[in-house]
Amino acid sequence: MPISAEKIVANGYSIFHGSNAWSALSMFIERASNTYSSINILLDENTEKQCLPALYDNAPSLVNAALVRIPSGEANKNVGTLAEIWEALQSNGSTRRSLLINLGGGLISDIGGFAASTFKRGIDFINIPTTLLGQADASIGGKTGIDLLAVKNQVGLIVNPVAVFVIPDFLRTLNHQQLKSGYAEILKYGLISDRELWKSAKDNASLLTEYSESNWTDIIEKALVIKNTIVVEDPKEQGIRKVLNFGHTIGHALEAFSLQNDSNPITHGEAVAIGMICEAYISTVVLGLDLEELNQISSVILSIFEKYDLSKPNDSMLIELMRHDKKNTSSNINFTLLNSIGSAVIDQYTETKIISEALNFYRDL
């Protein structure tokens, strides 16, 4: 039976999105039930409660699928949790002809994709992202992996899912902080590639409190198209795909610090939002980003995200975390920077004193 829905063609798989994504998923599962020896669903306590019932309603045969449960939270994106997933798959009798369904946000698609890609040297998996971060960014592009020694995404593979199903209705299950976390990535896409998307995102921040399926569908599709276009051109992140890392060099360091030191750690998106302000500052020094655009970026981000207390981490601690970033060569810290809103340049380097200036710029806002 052919699958018909709005879709984006990626590297060997399709991203189904919009109002027809449920029907596309239902048809896929109907076919999968006759194709795979078994089906497993990876989820956490939140998606089991808030998302699994809708999945059962739209694909009733999945009530027979085995559930693989892991705890939510970035602190669990580690080799211990990965081993638990492998052990569950083995206990469930999974074979190389089994399917893993990743039902959740970026953590679920990252660790689930890695588990599937390595279990019995690789089984098929699909992603059903339930967070804005997952729908607009993490679930596509094939990046899978885990954190190691408090450093983000140090071990992993680039392996594509069989399909991705982006269903905006799941966004109704998210709280304000979770929506903001994903919104940071949408703002990033506008800053690196599409001035009009940046304008649309900054002018429609009310979406974070007033749900509109049509508006979310439109803005997520724009983000998906941008990321997929870049990933198709550079699937292994040897060149232009690095543009997606804007805000992430400093952001990942802050996220790792917060995870180790804060009782209520900041989210990935909150860390990237800080990183975008700091790296926009570095862009003014290295590439001559206009100061008015720097001020606009800072103002828009701070109108959405609460200020984080950067007095706790010292600069040397954060810079040391940045040195572990997987994009680096030798001891040089690699940045993607902006030369204007909507245009970014990869493989940029700067002195540590400029990084400290950027952190102080944020502190003084």
Side-chain angles (χ1 to χ4, degrees):
M1 180 182 298
I3 294 176
S4 175
E6 298 172 76
K7 71 177 182 179
I8 298 168
V9 178
N11 281 323
Y13 68 100
S14 292
I15 305 160
F16 298 93
H17 64 95
S19 58
N20 293 322
W22 270 127
S23 61
L25 175 62
S26 298
M27 286 186 277
F28 177 91
I29 295 300
E30 181 180 336
R31 187 174 64 191
S33 298
N34 298 317
T35 303
Y36 292 99
S37 61
S38 65
I39 299 177
N40 296 268
I41 303 173
L42 178 67
L43 35 59
D44 61 28
E45 71 278 9
N46 297 316
T47 49
E48 181 170 7
K49 178 181 178 181
Q50 299 175 356
C51 304
L52 185 61
L55 186 61
Y56 284 162
D57 288 344
N58 286 275
S61 66
L62 287 180
V63 296
N64 298 314
L67 300 183
V68 179
R69 298 176 174 90
I70 62 172
S72 62
E74 186 73 19
N76 298 297
K77 189 178 173 182
N78 55 43
V79 69
T81 304
L82 178 66
E84 290 176 9
I85 298 170
W86 286 330
E87 290 168 5
L89 291 172
Q90 184 161 303
S91 296
N92 294 341
S94 300
T95 72
R96 294 181 74 178
R97 291 300 305 152
S98 295
L99 174 72
L100 180 64
I101 297 175
N102 294 322
L103 179 69
L107 184 152
I108 291 285
S109 60
D110 279 3
I111 198 170
F114 191 32
S117 302
T118 48
F119 182 74
K120 295 187 182 293
R121 298 202 174 111
I123 65 173
D124 285 351
F125 65 96
I126 67 171
N127 291 333
I128 307 175
T130 60
T131 65
L132 181 56
L133 178 63
Q135 294 190 5
D137 184 73
S139 67
I140 71 167
K143 282 189 175 182
T144 71
I146 57 172
D147 303 340
L148 181 67
L149 300 177
V151 182
K152 291 276 295 181
N153 302 324
Q154 288 293 285
V155 184
L157 297 167
I158 296 179
V159 180
N160 289 321
V162 173
V164 177
F165 299 89
V166 176
I167 301 166
D169 198 46
F170 279 132
L171 301 184
R172 295 178 185 274
T173 69
L174 304 181
N175 62 37
H176 188 57
Q177 185 183 37
Q178 292 168 324
L179 282 172
K180 287 197 302 182
S181 184
Y183 211 67
E185 295 288 352
I186 291 172
L187 291 169
K188 178 199 74 178
Y189 286 123
L191 288 172
I192 64 171
S193 181
D194 188 334
R195 183 181 288 268
E196 287 304 310
L197 176 58
W198 164 257
K199 184 177 185 303
S200 175
K202 74 182 182 68
D203 291 344
N204 287 282
S206 60
L207 280 170
L208 296 170
T209 54
E210 300 171 9
Y211 181 84
S212 167
E213 182 173 343
S214 61
N215 287 345
W216 273 125
T217 298
D218 180 60
I219 206 164
I220 290 170
E221 180 181 14
K222 290 176 180 176
L224 288 172
V225 168
I226 291 171
K227 180 167 185 179
N228 187 62
T229 300
I230 292 169
V231 169
V232 167
E233 181 179 343
D234 178 23
K236 298 297 185 181
E237 200 174 22
Q238 300 302 303
I240 190 60
R241 185 169 180 169
K242 296 178 188 177
V243 78
L244 299 172
N245 293 312
F246 175 66
H248 285 63
T249 300
I250 291 176
H252 275 166
L254 285 167
E255 186 178 3
F257 170 84
S258 180
L259 192 63
Q260 289 180 292
N261 295 279
D262 293 340
S263 58
N264 184 25
I266 56 177
T267 65
H268 173 75
E270 288 167 334
V272 169
I274 300 167
M276 288 193 291
I277 292 176
C278 294
E279 293 177 26
Y281 174 88
I282 296 172
S283 299
T284 66
V285 177
V286 177
L287 294 179
L289 176 69
D290 188 88
L291 289 176
E292 288 188 7
E293 293 198 332
L294 169 63
N295 291 333
Q296 180 186 146
I297 292 166
S298 303
S299 175
V300 168
I301 290 174
L302 287 180
S303 72
I304 298 171
F305 296 89
E306 293 182 9
K307 189 91 176 291
Y308 178 70
D309 183 5
L310 264 188
S311 66
K312 293 179 286 185
N314 62 57
D315 294 359
S316 59
M317 182 186 302
L318 293 175
I319 289 169
E320 183 59 30
L321 285 168
M322 293 176 214
R323 292 192 191 281
H324 291 286
D325 193 288
K326 58 188 178 297
K327 302 181 297 296
N328 296 339
T329 57
S330 185
S331 61
N332 297 317
I333 300 174
N334 190 310
F335 288 94
T336 291
L337 300 176
L338 304 178
N339 50 23
S340 66
I341 290 176
S343 178
V345 183
I346 64 172
D347 292 334
Q348 299 298 299
Y349 302 90
T350 190
E351 303 169 67
T352 55
K353 71 174 184 178
I354 304 301
I355 299 174
S356 290
E357 284 181 16
L359 295 169
N360 285 329
F361 173 78
Y362 178 84
R363 292 181 179 112
D364 292 340
L365 287 173

